[in-house]
Amino acid sequence: MALDAALAVAVLACMVAGSFVDPHGDSGVSWGLRTPDALSLVLITLASAALVFRRRAPITVLALTGGVSLVESVTGDPRAPVAMSAVIALYTVASTTDRSTTWRVGLLTMTVLTGSAMLAGPLPWYAQENLAILAWTGIGATAGDAVRSRRAVVAAIRERAERAERTREEEARRRVAEERLRIARDLHDVVAHHIALVNVQAGVATHVMDKRPDQAKEALAHVREASRSALNELRATVGLLRQSGDPEAPTEPAPGLERLDELAGTFRSAGLQVEVARADQGTTLPAAVDLAAYRVIQEALTNVQKHAGPGAKAEVSVVRVGPNVEITVLDDGAGDDEPPAGGGHGLLGMRERVTALGGTLTTGPRYGGGFRVHAILPVKGRAGTTEDTG
């Protein structure tokens, strides 16, 4: 509003100054001074005051300034430059509306003002002042349309930039969430496996401490070994959170199926009978698939240790079938030894790992007792699904 008021004052000053100039002196085409008519000064004042509201009601202000300019072009002799206010009002309409409205309003304004000045004005129709009205109204409409187009282009560029920024932020949040989920799965697998072993061995040591101290010492040695392995794997996992270039970050490779015998040995030392059968000789798995296979077997055996009951036996098989590697873990525990609903994240973690690689996971109780975990992992990634039975 303040800017429009300042513009109205500036236009008023220009029109008043122009009304004192006579372009037709005594010596032909020259300049002289004159005293403007009172009506011209009133029309100048009205047109300038209307410009204060040009942004609030551009069409109304154009109609008012156009009407005032029409009266001046017909009655003024010589004319005062009241049409200057109409040109500014037409510019405002063109810069704040669409192009079709600009064309319609602009052509109407040009036709009415120029036609009335030529047909009803005191000057010949071909006078330079009449042609100037045509030119200046055309310039006002064109300039306003150009400003509107530029604003639209700038707004579109800004919107694309903001959309791209939102997309980058969403992608960054998605990657952070995936990384957090991956680290959470690794921590769960490491902690659940080793703490289960520690719990079993500690229970054995407590039970035989007085009667068979040698067996208790052996159990405590297994506790120490399991806790040391847990600390090493935790150190490797937490090392992923270190900043790039940190010399203390561990560089130990992630575990894979080459450590399957070692993994089975830790469960055997805890009293679980584990048999391993492999028919994947010569298969080199990608690091992600190799780690997922290891973690699936680790979690499945941990669940057998925790839920299958005493005396349970587990069978692990790794078989290459076409483009896939199939992992199967069976146990003969009494009844359904699936972890209770809401009691942990083991099966959920296995499912997420397998699905992320494009594989399938089937889990469920076996007929006659026990539990079965069957994972199919593609050696090369492909779209996959997750299935649960039982």
Side-chain angles (χ1 to χ4, degrees):
M1 190 70 176
L3 180 61
D4 292 333
L7 176 63
V9 171
V11 172
L12 175 63
C14 292
M15 289 193 296
V16 169
S19 67
F20 281 91
V21 176
D22 184 4
H24 304 287
D26 297 333
S27 303
V29 181
S30 61
W31 300 91
L33 295 177
R34 67 182 177 89
T35 301
D37 299 334
L39 178 60
S40 296
L41 293 177
V42 172
L43 296 176
I44 288 173
T45 304
L46 289 176
S48 300
L51 292 178
V52 177
F53 306 97
R54 67 187 184 95
R55 296 180 190 271
R56 294 185 177 182
I59 299 294
T60 303
V61 171
L62 176 60
L64 180 59
T65 56
V68 171
S69 301
L70 177 61
V71 173
E72 175 63 19
S73 66
V74 173
T75 62
D77 187 20
R79 295 172 184 160
V82 182
M84 180 179 181
S85 61
V87 171
I88 295 177
L90 180 58
Y91 164 84
T92 304
V93 171
S95 64
T96 56
T97 59
D98 56 274
R99 179 161 293 173
S100 61
T101 302
T102 299
W103 275 97
R104 293 195 300 268
V105 174
L107 288 175
L108 178 62
T109 303
M110 293 168 60
T111 303
V112 171
L113 292 183
T114 306
S116 61
M118 288 181 174
L119 299 177
L123 299 176
W125 69 270
Y126 54 83
Q128 183 178 359
E129 293 182 34
N130 295 337
L131 298 178
I133 295 176
L134 176 65
W136 281 108
T137 51
I139 291 174
T142 304
D145 185 68
V147 170
R148 180 197 56 77
S149 299
R150 181 180 179 278
R151 289 174 181 169
V153 170
V154 171
I157 293 174
R158 183 180 296 111
E159 181 182 359
R160 285 197 297 269
E162 292 175 353
R163 187 165 57 249
E165 183 65 23
R166 289 194 299 269
T167 302
R168 286 194 295 269
E169 292 176 356
E170 291 172 359
E171 178 65 16
R173 287 194 294 268
R174 185 187 65 81
R175 292 184 178 182
V176 169
E178 290 179 353
E179 183 66 12
R180 290 176 59 186
L181 181 61
R182 186 183 66 80
I183 294 175
R185 285 197 300 261
D186 285 340
L187 288 174
H188 172 271
D189 292 342
V190 171
V191 173
H193 165 58
H194 291 289
I195 295 303
L197 296 181
V198 167
N199 181 64
V200 171
Q201 296 291 355
V204 172
T206 301
H207 183 69
V208 301
M209 179 70 70
D210 296 330
K211 298 180 179 179
R212 286 173 286 179
D214 291 339
Q215 186 176 353
K217 290 180 180 180
E218 181 180 354
L220 291 176
H222 289 308
V223 169
R224 181 179 180 182
E225 180 63 27
S227 61
R228 180 165 56 246
S229 298
L231 289 175
N232 290 336
E233 292 202 39
L234 284 174
R235 187 179 299 111
T237 303
V238 174
L240 297 175
L241 302 177
R242 294 184 180 272
Q243 295 181 356
S244 178
D246 190 338
E248 296 182 3
T251 58
E252 180 182 350
L257 291 180
E258 74 280 355
R259 294 176 56 181
L260 180 56
D261 291 336
E262 177 185 345
L263 177 66
T266 61
F267 283 99
R268 294 189 186 106
S269 65
L272 177 65
Q273 301 182 48
V274 180
E275 295 182 2
V276 177
R278 300 188 62 172
D280 61 330
Q281 290 78 7
T283 300
T284 301
L285 299 177
V289 177
D290 200 21
L291 175 61
Y294 179 87
R295 292 303 189 194
V296 166
I297 296 173
Q298 182 185 55
E299 180 60 28
L301 291 177
T302 300
N303 287 338
V304 174
Q305 181 75 51
K306 293 164 61 177
H307 304 287
K313 298 179 182 179
E315 299 177 3
V316 178
S317 67
V318 181
V319 181
R320 174 68 184 268
V321 180
N324 304 317
V325 59
E326 297 191 10
I327 310 294
T328 305
V329 180
L330 306 173
D331 71 80
D332 59 356
D336 182 2
D337 56 276
E338 180 178 4
H345 303 281
L347 294 180
L348 177 61
M350 283 193 288
R351 184 177 302 113
E352 290 172 346
R353 285 185 184 277
V354 173
T355 305
L357 296 173
T360 62
L361 177 70
T362 304
T363 63
R366 300 173 61 194
Y367 179 77
F371 201 75
R372 177 178 182 268
V373 174
H374 181 67
I376 301 177
L377 294 171
V379 175
K380 295 183 179 179
R382 58 177 176 83
T385 58
T386 301
E387 176 187 0
D388 282 300
T389 62

